[in-house]
Amino acid sequence: MNTYILGIESSCDDTSAAILKDTFVLSNIIANQDVHKKYGGVVPELASRAHQKNIIPVIEQALKDANINKKQLHAIAFTNGPGLLGSLLVGTSFAKAFALASNIPLIEVDHLQAHILAHFVQQENKIKPTPTFPFLCLIISGGHTQIVKMDDYFTMTVIGKTIDDAAGEAFDKSAKILGLPYPGGPLIDKYAQIGNSEKFKFATPSVPNLNFSFSGLKTSILYFIQKETIKNPDFIETYKTDLCASIQKTIIDILIHKLEKAVKKTGIKQVAIAGGVSANSGIRKALLEKQNTDSWKVYIPEFQFCTDNAAMIAITGYFKYKQKVFSSQNISPYSRSSFK
Ligand code: KG4
Ligand code: ZN
């Protein structure tokens, strides 16, 4: 018998619902929140209000697109953290009420674990190879940057992490300095594709072990731009594509360098990426090159499963359902990562 899972994601500024039939995605609906654009970042109170508005229509659409009735669902999985508490509360409260009313199991899901397990989501007529254990996963999102060793679906060890900003923040904050709207990561990526990545050099951090730091890079970019803009007020506009390409290359070089160290240290050559920044064309290209030059086996998720989405919550819920790992109605969301 097939298992149908409804997944709900509401940790930040995207409201998403997905239906999975075993590991196959039947629908994956995402409602973005444009309301934050003019503030240059996510405003928590506005995010939770938008989730409240979006959650029912998004779930109804997910059921409709999957062409299933809610009575067919076996369980409901939801993001329990980390994220913005007000946003998480919307998904958590809905999931609890839905589980109670439908008399089906409630399954809490960790957002970061879900980003990694997104690699196991399959699409009909488009079956792809999935990583085998153990593998390394670089999580690069707006809030996190970690290298995780995955020994099985639920045994994960963080072997490196950022000591300050996340990779997504490095993109977004650099974009802000260039006057680009939030979130700036995709725009830097777009301009970088037609720019010269060797034109400008920025300071790269020296952080021990497998840890990362991005705050110095942001300061280095800010001072450089301030200095050049005094000499030439049109500096940013004139060199926009070269600046984006150079910033992107610097961030990618930092990430790849640490991944190389992680592969060397663990002897594991299966390398996956996850999280919003894995949509970046530069990191994708750099990793595919490593496949040729250093015989890594690289796993890159499809765009729709890189940024926040509920299919990744549903697949994590599916694996937990198979092991009968359910949550109680007393569960409450958490804002900070529980991974050590
Ligand atoms: O995983 P995600 O959707 O949300 C979090 O859990 O944080 O990641 C969002 C981050 C943002 O910082 C955004 O700028 C970045 O992913 N991002 C990108 C690209 N697409 C999204 N960064 C660089 N290049 C991209 N193409
Ligand atoms: Zn995320």
Side-chain angles (χ1 to χ4, degrees):
M1 196 182 73
N2 295 118
T3 304
Y4 293 93
I5 308 278
L6 165 63
I8 294 179
E9 155 62 28
S10 73
S11 65
C12 190
D13 60 340
D14 294 314
T15 321
S16 180
I19 312 280
L20 251 63
K21 176 183 169 187
D22 299 329
T23 60
F24 287 87
V25 61
L26 300 181
S27 61
N28 185 32
I29 308 296
I30 303 169
N32 307 114
Q33 302 180 357
D34 284 341
V35 64
H36 308 287
K37 274 214 167 89
K38 63 174 180 244
Y39 300 102
V42 177
V43 183
E45 180 54 31
L46 296 180
S48 61
R49 272 190 242 165
H51 283 304
Q52 283 175 347
K53 204 172 95 203
N54 292 341
I55 194 153
I56 305 267
V58 161
I59 289 167
E60 278 176 350
Q61 193 61 47
L63 285 163
K64 196 168 164 221
D65 285 11
N67 199 20
I68 69 156
N69 186 296
K70 59 178 188 279
K71 291 201 173 71
Q72 289 173 263
L73 294 170
H74 291 89
I76 178 162
F78 67 99
T79 310
N80 197 33
L84 300 170
L85 276 183
S87 293
L88 289 163
L89 268 171
V90 179
T92 308
S93 313
F94 181 90
K96 283 185 186 181
F98 192 94
L100 211 54
S102 313
N103 198 22
I104 54 173
L106 176 69
I107 302 175
E108 78 204 70
V109 168
D110 183 279
H111 183 85
L112 295 180
Q113 183 178 19
H115 266 304
I116 301 174
L117 297 184
H119 283 278
F120 296 90
V121 175
Q122 292 287 6
Q123 293 172 279
E124 300 270 7
N125 308 324
K126 216 174 170 183
I127 310 263
K128 59 167 177 47
T130 53
T132 50
F133 299 103
F135 68 91
L136 298 179
C137 187
L138 172 69
I139 306 180
I140 32 179
S141 73
H144 300 91
T145 297
Q146 297 178 329
I147 302 177
V148 182
K149 179 168 164 275
M150 296 294 291
D151 286 303
D152 64 50
Y153 295 118
F154 302 108
T155 312
M156 41 206 295
T157 317
V158 177
I159 57 172
K161 62 183 176 189
T162 182
I163 57 167
D164 42 53
D165 289 350
E169 276 178 293
F171 272 103
D172 296 338
K173 288 180 178 174
S174 306
K176 199 170 177 185
I177 297 170
L178 301 183
L180 299 172
Y182 176 86
L187 287 169
I188 292 205
D189 190 5
K190 184 176 140 202
Y191 292 123
Q193 292 181 37
I194 46 170
N196 173 5
S197 62
E198 302 296 334
K199 180 88 182 171
F200 304 110
K201 295 271 175 261
F202 299 107
T204 48
S206 131
V207 191
N209 306 321
L210 298 174
N211 294 330
F212 301 89
S213 166
F214 289 103
S215 68
L217 171 65
K218 176 190 63 194
T219 314
S220 147
I221 294 168
L222 179 66
Y223 288 162
F224 175 72
I225 298 281
Q226 282 175 342
K227 195 177 84 205
E228 294 300 324
T229 312
I230 291 170
K231 291 188 260 171
N232 169 11
D234 292 329
F235 180 75
I236 294 180
E237 218 32 57
T238 313
Y239 292 104
K240 187 154 82 183
T241 56
D242 294 340
L243 282 166
C244 287
S246 304
I247 291 168
Q248 179 161 306
K249 182 176 186 302
T250 311
I251 296 172
I252 291 169
D253 284 352
I254 294 170
L255 296 171
I256 295 286
H257 172 64
K258 290 293 166 142
L259 267 182
E260 285 169 344
K261 272 183 101 167
V263 167
K264 204 166 164 201
K265 192 170 171 191
T266 60
I268 299 170
K269 285 193 161 191
Q270 284 206 95
V271 180
I273 49 170
V277 181
S278 51
N280 183 270
S281 60
I283 187 88
R284 288 171 170 249
K285 198 162 148 245
L287 278 171
L288 290 173
E289 271 169 27
K290 296 300 287 179
Q291 199 152 255
N292 297 327
T293 56
D294 294 43
S295 60
W296 290 10
K297 179 86 189 85
V298 167
Y299 297 90
I300 301 174
E302 269 202 33
F303 282 107
Q304 60 162 324
F305 304 127
C306 287
T307 44
D308 290 349
N309 68 88
M312 69 185 197
I313 305 303
I315 190 84
T316 310
Y318 171 76
F319 292 128
K320 285 190 156 186
Y321 181 84
K322 287 279 155 200
Q323 297 202 354
K324 296 197 169 40
V325 180
F326 304 141
S327 308
S328 91
Q329 282 283 336
N330 296 330
I331 187 93
S332 48
Y334 52 88
S335 58
R336 297 185 73 83
S337 175
S338 50
F339 294 160
K340 294 286 176 297

